Amino acid sequence: MSDERERPPVPETLPAPVIDAHTHLDACGAADAADVAVLLDRANAAGVSHVVTVADDLKSARWAAEASTWDSRVYAAVAVHPTRTATFGDAEKAELERLAAFDRVVAIGETGLDYYWDYSPPAAQHEAFRWHIDLSKRVGKPLMIHDRDAHEDVLKVLDDEGAPSTVVFHCFSGDADFARRCVEQGYVLSFAGPVTFKNARALQEAARLVPPDQLLVETDAPFLTPHPFRGRPNEPHCVNYTVRSLAALRGEDLSELCAAVTRTAQRVFGLDHRDAT
């Protein structure tokens, strides 16, 4: 791994293990099994037992699926990110269908809509999103949503297509009203570093109302490093900071929240019949 910029320190281990529900180990600099082990060893020292490493293009999807076989602490999710769907055809679909069948691929994602960047036309994003929804239902694995500035359209597409049995809003970015609507639909909301930011009042209000059995924590590493290390390279061990912030924000015991989000991750990703404990 080449990125040795000043990463946040490994904090005191959590009182109970948690799972980083969404990270990008390859973007964190991992190229091989040894690199993955270094990242996961640091995560374990902080009380983060397992991670789901997530793809954003076909190359990343292949890597994530393979990386999940190198280390028992790693699971994978595969999809083509909405900003990369301008050219999304039969070859991409066939490859994702192949990878989605892997046992340690536990979700289809990240997919959805992104109206912030102008890399892929909305029509192409919508078509790809609908296809990923169908794939999720066909393989019986949860759908991992990327939703950036597209709240209403994401909900509409899910409603139009019929949502899979399990839907995860990765790096949830809505306010309390949007959170309530998602919770009412049975969707799972995953919170990343931004919930720790001092100016994230609306997001923090949303995080307070999510039931524990619909709550996940993630890093989205190497992006969105939690406070007070914003701007530095993120890693899976930093989910420790986020879950501590969430416990304080929600007025909950840290041990109980760790146990709750771990149970949710195990249920959502079907880890109870694998080796995540």
Side-chain angles (χ1 to χ4, degrees), residues 108 111-113 126 128-134 136-137 142-147 150-170 172 178 181-183 185-189:
I108 305 304
T111 181
L113 301 173
H126 278 249
F129 185 23
R130 293 173 191 273
W131 183 85
H132 282 94
I133 290 170
D134 179 66
S136 169
K137 291 191 283 192
L143 186 74
M144 188 180 281
I145 299 284
H146 172 99
D147 164 24
H151 299 332
E152 298 304 324
D153 281 4
V154 166
L155 290 184
K156 184 177 187 306
V157 172
L158 287 170
D159 187 54
D160 288 348
E161 294 296 311
S165 58
T166 305
V167 173
V168 178
F169 273 75
H170 133 70
F172 185 79
F178 187 63
R181 293 162 65 197
C182 290
V183 166
Q185 292 294 323
Y187 302 152
V188 177
L189 310 188

Side-chain angles (χ1 to χ4, degrees), residues 139-274:
V139 299
K141 295 181 179 181
L143 186 74
M144 188 180 281
I145 299 284
H146 172 99
D147 164 24
R148 189 160 189 189
D149 295 352
H151 299 332
E152 298 304 324
D153 281 4
V154 166
L155 290 184
K156 184 177 187 306
V157 172
L158 287 170
D159 187 54
D160 288 348
E161 294 296 311
S165 58
T166 305
V167 173
V168 178
F169 273 75
H170 133 70
C171 192
F172 185 79
S173 59
D175 60 12
D177 176 67
F178 187 63
R180 284 190 193 93
R181 293 162 65 197
C182 290
V183 166
E184 286 169 2
Q185 292 294 323
Y187 302 152
V188 177
L189 310 188
S190 185
F191 289 86
V195 77
T196 71
F197 297 168
K198 290 183 176 180
N199 62 349
R201 301 286 169 79
L203 183 60
Q204 290 164 358
E205 247 184 72
R208 286 190 183 98
L209 63 84
V210 181
D213 63 351
Q214 289 175 263
L215 179 70
L216 292 173
V217 290
E218 63 171 87
T219 56
D220 199 21
F223 317 105
L224 304 176
T225 311
H227 177 81
F229 306 104
R230 192 174 181 178
R232 284 157 68 169
N234 202 3
E235 278 192 14
H237 71 261
C238 295
V239 84
N240 178 306
Y241 296 109
T242 301
V243 75
R244 288 180 186 277
S245 180
L246 276 170
L249 182 68
R250 291 164 59 92
E252 294 178 359
D253 176 79
L254 179 59
S255 297
E256 292 179 4
L257 183 61
C258 289
V261 296
T262 297
R263 285 193 301 269
T264 301
Q266 289 172 331
R267 186 192 79 247
V268 163
F269 298 119
L271 307 186
D272 50 347
H273 69 280
R274 296 182 174 94

Side-chain angles (χ1 to χ4, degrees), residues 16-174:
V18 298
I19 295 169
D20 181 355
H22 188 115
T23 192
H24 302 272
L25 295 181
D26 51 347
C28 289
D32 55 26
D35 292 341
V36 168
V38 169
L39 286 167
L40 268 294
D41 287 348
R42 269 199 291 274
N44 287 174
V48 183
S49 63
H50 295 75
V51 304
V52 179
T53 191
V54 181
D56 67 355
D57 61 17
L58 276 189
K59 180 181 178 182
S60 179
R62 294 186 195 103
W63 187 91
E66 186 176 0
S68 72
T69 69
W70 297 338
D71 195 305
S72 63
R73 299 169 291 181
V74 178
Y75 299 100
V78 299
V80 171
H81 192 281
T83 60
R84 299 177 182 269
T85 55
T87 55
F88 184 72
D90 291 343
E92 288 81 7
K93 293 173 183 177
E95 181 69 347
L96 287 175
E97 289 188 356
R98 183 183 75 84
L99 295 170
F102 285 27
D103 181 62
R104 295 186 66 83
V105 170
V106 297
I108 305 304
E110 56 188 284
T111 181
L113 301 173
D114 188 311
Y115 294 164
Y116 180 81
W117 297 108
D118 190 24
Y119 296 141
S120 181
Q125 292 190 43
H126 278 249
E127 182 180 346
F129 185 23
R130 293 173 191 273
W131 183 85
H132 282 94
I133 290 170
D134 179 66
L135 177 64
S136 169
K137 291 191 283 192
R138 283 189 284 119
V139 299
K141 295 181 179 181
L143 186 74
M144 188 180 281
I145 299 284
H146 172 99
D147 164 24
R148 189 160 189 189
D149 295 352
H151 299 332
E152 298 304 324
D153 281 4
V154 166
L155 290 184
K156 184 177 187 306
V157 172
L158 287 170
D159 187 54
D160 288 348
E161 294 296 311
S165 58
T166 305
V167 173
V168 178
F169 273 75
H170 133 70
C171 192
F172 185 79
S173 59

